[in-house]
Amino acid sequence: MNQELEKIKQNVIKCTKCDLCKTRTNAVPGKGNFQSDVIFVGEAPGKNEDEHGEPFIGVAGKKLSIALDAAGITRDQVYITNIVKCRPPNNRVPKISEKDTCQEYLEQEISIIKPKIICILGNTVFNSILGGSEIIKFRGKVARKDSQLYFLTIHPAATIYNQKLIDVLKSDIVKLFKLITELKNKKEVMVDIEYSS
Ligand code: URA
Ligand code: SF4
């Protein structure tokens, strides 16, 4: 692992900057390939993640793996993280104050990995990072803010009770990796939504 990322990981593991540290079992640092072209960003760890200290290893994680597989990609090729690194009690949505406090870790992960594109998983993340809502209307689209590209898709957990959505997630992830190939070939990709800070 990259040394700077390892340092962030260690800081996350011992972090006590917000109250979520009081109820967590384990903090859940980001995980994966530091040379990845894409960072997947989820909302917050769930029960399994909290127990094991790894992101997206529960049922939602399985759905993410299935979608990656559809694009011929394995988990170890990409980097996966969350907006907040500790599980909120009973999986409630993270508070604004918790997201704000935890934000520096995500910013550090992004500045080290320098992904070509950041994949936003679901509405909470869409709202936190881009101020958006109704991801279902915007999924499959490319956004840009401050010269960083984002790809918008649904949260893998949304596919658990809605079988139709797994095909949506799969086709979005296939599209994402096509875009990444274009970006690697130095081609411009079409940006659907521009945000400014
Ligand atoms: N859901 C998330 O948003 N993140 C995880 O790590 C697991 C489930
Ligand atoms: Fe620290 Fe983030 Fe965990 Fe809060 S959620 S304790 S800021 S790592």
Side-chain angles (χ1 to χ4, degrees):
M1 206 202 211
N2 170 289
Q3 276 187 359
E4 290 170 287
L5 274 179
E6 184 57 37
K7 182 84 192 119
I8 299 172
K9 185 177 166 180
Q10 295 312 322
N11 289 341
V12 166
I13 288 171
K14 59 174 198 270
C15 181
T16 54
K17 287 198 302 171
C18 84
D19 279 350
L20 292 181
C21 73
K22 295 182 186 159
T23 45
R24 74 178 178 219
T25 313
N26 292 294
V28 180
K31 188 165 190 253
N33 191 327
F34 69 93
Q35 294 175 313
S36 177
D37 297 310
V38 54
I39 297 183
F40 287 88
V41 184
E43 177 177 327
K47 189 169 187 290
N48 283 286
E49 292 78 16
D50 174 70
E51 276 167 13
H52 299 278
E54 283 191 34
F56 281 99
I57 53 163
V59 193
K62 189 124 204 274
K63 302 291 181 188
L64 179 59
S65 296
I66 290 170
L68 285 170
D69 192 50
I73 301 292
T74 58
R75 293 270 295 235
D76 55 10
Q77 289 177 271
V78 297
Y79 190 86
I80 300 172
T81 193
N82 283 296
I83 297 244
V84 300
K85 313 303 195 209
C86 301
R87 182 193 185 202
N90 302 316
N91 298 345
R92 64 161 169 75
V93 175
K95 294 177 187 167
I96 291 174
S97 60
E98 293 157 355
K99 292 192 285 196
D100 287 350
T101 312
C102 209
Q103 181 176 307
E104 77 170 80
Y105 297 121
L106 179 61
E107 283 169 1
Q108 290 166 0
E109 289 170 298
I110 294 168
S111 75
I112 293 165
I113 296 170
K114 298 186 180 63
K116 292 192 165 44
I117 195 159
I118 292 172
C119 184
I120 291 197
L121 298 170
N123 226 15
T124 304
V125 185
F126 185 29
N127 190 261
S128 303
I129 297 185
L130 296 173
S133 59
E134 296 188 277
I135 191 114
I136 200 73
K137 286 192 192 159
F138 293 100
R139 52 143 284 273
K141 294 193 189 299
V142 176
R144 181 164 52 201
K145 185 181 182 186
D146 301 335
S147 74
Q148 173 69 59
L149 291 177
Y150 296 87
F151 183 78
L152 310 176
T153 192
I154 56 175
H155 195 287
T159 72
I160 298 171
Y161 300 108
N162 186 338
Q163 279 304 310
K164 280 187 207 143
L165 286 181
I166 188 70
D167 292 330
V168 170
L169 183 65
K170 280 188 195 172
S171 69
D172 280 357
I173 300 299
V174 168
K175 180 176 179 188
L176 167 64
F177 282 94
K178 278 193 190 140
L179 289 168
I180 290 172
T181 304
E182 288 171 25
L183 289 168
K184 288 215 283 208
N185 292 333
K186 308 262 183 276
K187 289 204 192 102
E188 291 276 314
V189 298
M190 253 256 296
V191 176
D192 302 296
I193 321 167
E194 290 278 2
Y195 291 91
S196 58
S197 56

